[in-house]
Amino acid sequence: MRALQYRTIGAAPELVDIPTPTPGPGQVLVKVTAAGVCHSDEFLMSLPEDQYTYGLPLTLGHEGAGTIDAVGPGVTGLTIGESVLVYGPWGCGRCYPCSKGEENYCERAAELGIKPPGLGAPGAMADYLLVDDARHLVPLGDLDPVASVSLTDAGLTPYHAIKKSLPKLVPGSVAVVIGAGGLGHVAIQMLRALAPCTVVAVDTSEDKRALARKVGAHHAVASDESAEEQILGLTGGRKVDVVFDFVSIDPTTDLASRLVGVGGEIVLVGVGPGAVKVGFFSTPWEASARAPYWGSRSELIEVIELARAGKIKVEVEAFGLDQGPKAYERLAAGTIPGRAVIVP
Ligand code: NAD
Ligand code: ZN
Ligand code: ZN
């Protein structure tokens, strides 16, 4: 089968031919219908050799959709041909967080060598994907896999980030979304669907600001030195209740720190090196910060229901497997509106 692999540190991914895997006991072979391109792939491919921990060669793709192709011994309850989304943050399934469906926070994954597809295990940018357990498959029904595949990360990650902040997003509140890219443009829609807050997007790119407005942001401002003044102008001077930072570099975490108000929250989703300082003399009273990772199994089902209800829609640009390297180039250049999706 064909697979898009990261093979050499610092080099672009390559399309190669590798043997099609056979599902072992408990495993499921999925024929891939779509695989999403995430900035985190770009991040891991930017790491120097001494910091790179994902193994080589690595078949990319931690957002996956497909149809059930074959099941290993002991797997029951799945129908061949059934359309599914792949829950990506695989865990042990047995520890306390996993028992709550929060496999993204599995306590034993590292010790047991369990890694998500595309982030250590072979990923979805291939003709077939081996899934370690049937519990990591969620029925997609008649939703279009190409339009839906990114719900598994670009949907699930912002949903998990936003859900915990919802009690703060009361009528009259303000939410800021920094970075209206793959995750951010879905976050804007989720905020509009789930909370009566005013949503302000911040992005360096005019095209992304236009996308932010199109998908429901009340305002979109340029990410520059004037951003704070512009935002406080729009809110009548009211500080921000929750800042979601989908970039997390010094200029954006600084902006978040300046914007957050009393009792507010800074949520760092981006994997950049930025950090915020929380303390009595650093932040307004009761302000807090957190850095969430991905989301739980039940939250993925909730995200799919939001999409099914027409409340969120991922903007997608499709690429063939052979165009995979091009998709990553376009992501790095900042010219993907929404999410790039590989369709084998
Ligand atoms: P993306 O490239 O699609 O979007 C990033 C957006 O940020 C773009 O619109 C870009 O124009 C904008 N941007 C860049 N610099 C900016 C700045 N200084 N100010 C404002 N906007 C700026 O990326 P994505 O796939 O949506 O991922 C977003 C981030 O989330 C990445 O850092 C990614 O690695 C991370 N991520 C984290 C998790 C998690 O679990 N925490 C999961 C998935 C992705
Ligand atoms: Zn991702
Ligand atoms: Zn676990």
Side-chain angles (χ1 to χ4, degrees):
M1 67 170 187
R2 297 168 306 158
L4 187 69
Q5 292 191 329
Y6 182 50
R7 298 176 64 86
T8 312
I9 297 289
E14 296 166 51
L15 190 64
V16 294
D17 249 301
I18 57 170
T20 302
T22 309
Q27 296 178 325
V28 181
L29 187 67
V30 166
K31 187 174 195 322
V32 177
T33 48
V37 175
C38 181
H39 180 274
S40 299
D41 302 331
E42 202 184 310
F43 167 76
L44 73 83
M45 289 190 280
S46 74
L47 290 170
E49 194 154 12
D50 59 332
Q51 287 170 37
Y52 179 83
T53 57
Y54 304 89
L56 288 175
L58 173 70
T59 301
L60 295 163
H62 54 272
E63 292 183 345
T67 53
I68 308 293
D69 189 75
V71 298
V75 178
T76 56
L78 293 175
T79 311
I80 301 298
E82 185 184 347
S83 178
V84 290
L85 283 187
V86 180
Y87 173 77
W90 298 350
C92 75
R94 299 181 62 205
C95 70
Y96 183 66
C98 280
S99 73
K100 295 191 288 178
E102 293 174 353
E103 299 200 28
N104 48 323
Y105 298 139
C106 177
E107 288 169 350
R108 298 196 63 206
E111 166 201 340
L112 296 172
I114 300 170
K115 293 187 168 169
L119 296 168
M125 289 186 191
D127 289 312
Y128 294 88
L129 169 69
L130 196 58
V131 176
D132 66 340
D133 195 291
R135 74 174 186 280
H136 293 143
L137 299 169
V138 183
L140 191 53
D142 57 6
L143 286 181
D144 172 23
V146 177
S148 308
V149 64
S150 296
L151 297 175
T152 59
D153 177 18
L156 178 56
T157 301
Y159 184 75
H160 175 73
I162 290 167
K163 199 177 171 188
K164 279 193 180 141
S165 300
L166 286 179
K168 295 186 190 294
L169 297 173
V170 297
S173 64
V174 179
V176 165
V177 172
I178 303 176
L183 273 65
H185 89 289
V186 184
I188 291 164
Q189 298 174 59
M190 289 173 165
L191 286 163
R192 291 303 314 274
L194 299 171
C197 58
T198 296
V199 179
V200 184
V202 182
D203 205 296
T204 39
S205 148
E206 173 49 40
D207 290 348
K208 304 298 174 79
R209 297 198 291 275
L211 173 65
R213 289 188 201 100
K214 182 182 141 193
V215 300
H218 295 96
H219 310 283
V221 307
S223 187
D224 57 26
E225 314 76 53
S226 71
E228 178 186 4
E229 197 186 322
Q230 283 190 65
I231 293 166
L232 296 181
L234 291 166
T235 65
R238 181 190 170 118
K239 289 258 185 172
V240 173
D241 298 278
V242 188
V243 184
F244 298 95
D245 187 346
F246 291 97
V247 184
S248 306
I249 56 176
D250 288 344
T252 63
T253 52
D254 288 353
L255 176 65
S257 302
R258 292 198 305 274
L259 287 173
V260 74
V262 171
E265 199 174 29
I266 297 169
V267 187
L268 302 180
V269 183
V271 299
V276 301
K277 191 173 169 189
V278 176
F280 198 87
F281 296 104
S282 307
T283 22
W285 290 308
E286 302 260 5
S288 57
R290 62 192 169 89
Y293 172 64
W294 223 328
S296 72
R297 282 169 51 206
S298 56
E299 285 169 340
L300 178 56
I301 293 172
E302 292 165 25
V303 170
I304 295 170
E305 290 306 324
L306 266 180
R308 205 182 296 286
K311 304 279 187 192
I312 54 170
K313 184 174 166 287
V314 185
E315 293 284 324
V316 165
E317 183 173 342
F319 293 81
L321 248 184
D322 53 338
Q323 298 171 300
K326 183 88 198 146
Y328 281 103
E329 275 173 35
R330 291 270 315 280
L331 180 70
T335 60
I336 299 287
R339 204 65 155 171
V341 170
I342 306 289
V343 184

